[in-house]
Amino acid sequence: MQNLFSTTQGQYLLKRYPAISKDPLRAWDAGDELMVNYLQSELTQSLDKSAKVLIINDQFGALCSALHAFNPTLYTDSYIAQQATQANLQHNHLGNLRIINSMQPLVGTYDLVIIKIQKSLAHLEDQLHKLRAHVTPGTKIIGAAMVKMLHTSNLSLFEKIIGPTSTSLAKKKARLIFSQFSEDLMVKPNPYPETYILDKNNWPILNHANVFSRAKLDLGCRFFIDHLPSSQSARDIVDLGCGNGLVGLMAAKLTPNAQLYFTDESFMAVASAKENFSHIFGDSTKATFHVDDCLSSKSANSADLILNNPPFHQQNAIGDFIALQMFNQAYQTLRTNGELWVIGNRHLDYKKKLGNIFKNCVQVTSNGKFVILRAIKKI
C-alpha cells in the first residue's frame, strides 16, 4: 500500500499534508526508513523508555510515529509539519506529542537527538547552534539525509558546532550521520538572524535562518515590489507566504491607511516579518501576523488585496499544489472586486490556473524571467 510505512516495530498509515487527491508521493523517504531501521536494531532495545528523545525536522510524522513509545519531542519551523505529524499520530491512534517551534527555546538535555537534514544549510547551522547547549557527551546525535542532500558542507557544520562526525554507508540513496558532542570544541557564535539593508528605502531587513533569500533581496521580490499596486481604497491587504514581510512592508508604505495581514507556514518567516514591521513602522496596530497553512484560518470575504509570491516546492517535492491552494483560498478570502496579485517564473503558467479559478486574469508586466499577474474576484 502506497501510504503504509512498515517497520519492525509496527505499520503506520501516513499521509502527506495538505492532502492532495491521488498524491503519488509518500509521506516518508529512504532516509526515514534507514533511520528507523538503525534505531530499532542498534538503540531501541537498550534505550530506556524514560529517555528524552528530540526529533528535528520530521516532515509528516514518520519518525515521530515509529518512535512514539519514547514520547519524543518534535522541533520544527514548519506549521504544516506540525499539523501533518499530529494528524498522522491521531490517525494511527498514537495520541499527541510535545512540539517546540523554531522560535521557542529547547528545554533541558536530551539522550537521543534525531535530525532530518533539509535543503537549507543556514537552517541546519542555526539548529545545531541551538542544540549544542542541550546535549552532553552521552547524547546520541544522529542525522538522516538523502545522498543528494548531503554535502561536505553539512558534515562540516556538525564537525564545527557539535564535534567529530562520520557517516554510514549509503542504502537506497540515503545515509546516516553520527556526531559526537565535544565539550572542548571552540564554537563561533550563532550568526543568525542576519540583516541586510534594502537599498531603495535604506530599511534594515532582518531574516531568521530559515527565511527564503535571507542574505539579500532576490530578483523576483525586487521586481514585484517595483510594480506593487497603490490602491488607496484597499482596507485589508494580505501578504500571503510573507517570508520576511518585505512585500507587505512596501504595501503598507504605499497604502498607509490599510490593515496588513502577514501569513506564512514558517515560524521564522512570521517572526522576521513581525520584527521588520515593528522596526520600520513602530508599534502600529495596523498589522497582524499569523503562522498558518496558507489562508486556512482567514475569514471569507475579508480582504481587498492579496499579494503572493507562491513557492513551487515543499522541501524536495516540486509542484504547483501549494500555489493552487493559495489561489483557491485567496478567492474565498477576497471581497467582491478584490484583487490577487501574483508573481511567478514565466514557465509556471499561473495565468491559466488563475483564469480557471477567477474566470479572469491579466498580465500586469513581465521581464525575461518573471511575470506579474492580477486576478479580480467577480460575482
Side-chain angles (χ1 to χ4, degrees):
M1 184 184 295
Q2 172 71 18
N3 295 325
L4 196 62
F5 183 44
S6 297
T7 74
T8 57
Q9 196 165 333
Q11 293 183 323
Y12 308 94
L13 189 61
L14 304 177
K15 297 181 180 180
R16 293 173 64 88
Y17 186 92
I20 302 172
S21 177
K22 298 180 181 179
D23 191 346
L25 301 175
R26 302 185 308 181
W28 68 93
D29 62 21
D32 296 309
E33 292 177 341
L34 187 59
M35 175 67 79
V36 170
N37 290 335
Y38 171 81
L39 292 173
Q40 289 173 345
S41 63
E42 301 293 332
L43 282 182
T44 53
Q45 297 301 317
S46 60
L47 195 65
D48 189 275
K49 287 295 190 292
S50 64
K52 289 191 66 177
V53 177
L54 180 67
I55 299 176
I56 302 176
N57 301 333
D58 194 1
Q59 190 174 358
F60 299 108
L63 297 173
C64 289
S65 295
L67 295 171
H68 71 280
F70 293 94
N71 297 310
T73 296
L74 172 63
Y75 183 55
T76 178
D77 183 50
S78 170
Y79 176 82
I80 291 177
Q82 288 190 7
Q83 299 302 298
T85 299
Q86 293 283 32
N88 280 322
L89 287 173
Q90 291 173 12
H91 187 74
N92 288 279
H93 308 291
L94 299 176
N96 295 322
L97 80 164
R98 176 174 169 76
I99 298 177
I100 302 175
N101 73 56
S102 58
M103 297 308 298
Q104 295 173 322
L106 295 170
V107 179
T109 57
Y110 295 92
D111 302 298
L112 171 63
V113 177
I114 299 166
I115 307 175
K116 192 69 185 296
I117 306 301
Q118 298 185 317
K119 293 180 67 174
S120 171
L121 194 65
H123 192 200
L124 175 63
E125 183 178 8
D126 180 68
Q127 288 177 330
L128 293 178
H129 274 289
K130 292 174 179 176
L131 176 64
R132 183 172 170 81
H134 300 277
V135 295
T136 71
T139 303
K140 301 291 184 182
I141 304 170
I142 310 171
M146 300 304 293
V147 170
K148 64 182 180 181
M149 299 274 291
L150 189 58
H151 308 285
T152 55
S153 53
N154 303 101
L155 302 178
S156 177
L157 287 177
F158 277 93
E159 291 271 2
K160 292 177 180 178
I161 301 171
I162 301 298
T165 299
S166 61
T167 63
S168 71
L169 296 174
K171 186 174 182 179
K172 293 184 179 179
K173 299 181 180 180
R175 286 184 189 273
L176 297 182
I177 301 166
F178 304 97
S179 195
Q180 176 65 45
F181 174 71
S182 173
E183 292 180 298
D184 300 327
L185 199 63
M186 298 296 292
V187 179
K188 294 181 179 179
N190 188 347
Y192 305 102
E194 292 181 312
T195 299
Y196 66 80
I197 301 299
L198 181 65
D199 49 12
K200 188 173 183 178
N201 296 82
N202 202 34
W203 288 346
I205 303 299
L206 178 142
N207 301 271
H208 287 284
N210 198 35
V211 174
F212 173 71
S213 194
R214 77 192 177 280
K216 62 180 181 179
L217 178 62
D218 73 281
L219 295 176
C221 186
R222 181 182 293 276
F223 187 58
F224 200 21
I225 63 176
D226 283 344
H227 295 89
L228 289 179
S230 178
S231 174
Q232 298 306 314
S233 63
R235 292 174 291 156
D236 297 282
I237 300 175
V238 176
D239 185 349
L240 172 56
C242 65
N244 61 21
L246 184 52
V247 170
L249 294 175
M250 292 301 298
K253 180 183 177 183
L254 290 170
T255 315
N257 294 322
Q259 174 77 28
L260 272 294
Y261 184 99
F262 295 82
T263 181
D264 201 293
E265 76 98 21
S266 161
F267 289 89
M268 286 189 174
V270 173
S272 300
K274 187 174 184 178
E275 291 179 60
N276 287 326
F277 191 93
S278 177
H279 182 82
I280 294 166
F281 295 105
D283 297 327
S284 171
T285 59
K286 294 172 60 178
T288 54
F289 303 84
H290 302 266
V291 180
D292 196 4
D293 173 17
C294 298
L295 291 168
S296 297
S297 301
K298 192 82 169 76
S299 300
N301 306 308
S302 62
D304 303 296
L305 175 64
I306 298 177
L307 307 169
N308 182 213
N309 181 2
F312 51 88
H313 62 82
Q314 184 180 33
Q315 291 303 323
N316 296 325
I318 297 174
D320 61 4
F321 48 93
I322 296 178
L324 289 175
Q325 179 184 349
M326 287 178 161
F327 299 164
N328 278 293
Q329 290 185 346
Y331 182 85
Q332 297 299 321
T333 300
L334 286 168
R335 300 184 177 105
T336 300
N337 296 320
E339 299 182 2
L340 169 63
W341 285 55
V342 174
I343 184 171
N345 292 81
R346 295 179 64 95
H347 70 274
L348 293 174
D349 197 22
Y350 285 159
K351 185 175 182 180
K352 179 179 179 180
K353 297 175 175 67
L354 286 165
N356 290 336
I357 297 169
F358 284 78
K359 308 308 178 187
N360 70 88
C361 182
V362 298
Q363 178 178 303
V364 176
T365 188
S366 67
N367 62 15
K369 187 174 182 180
F370 302 103
V371 60
I372 298 176
L373 305 169
R374 182 185 70 224
I376 302 174
K377 181 177 179 178
K378 297 181 181 295
I379 300 299

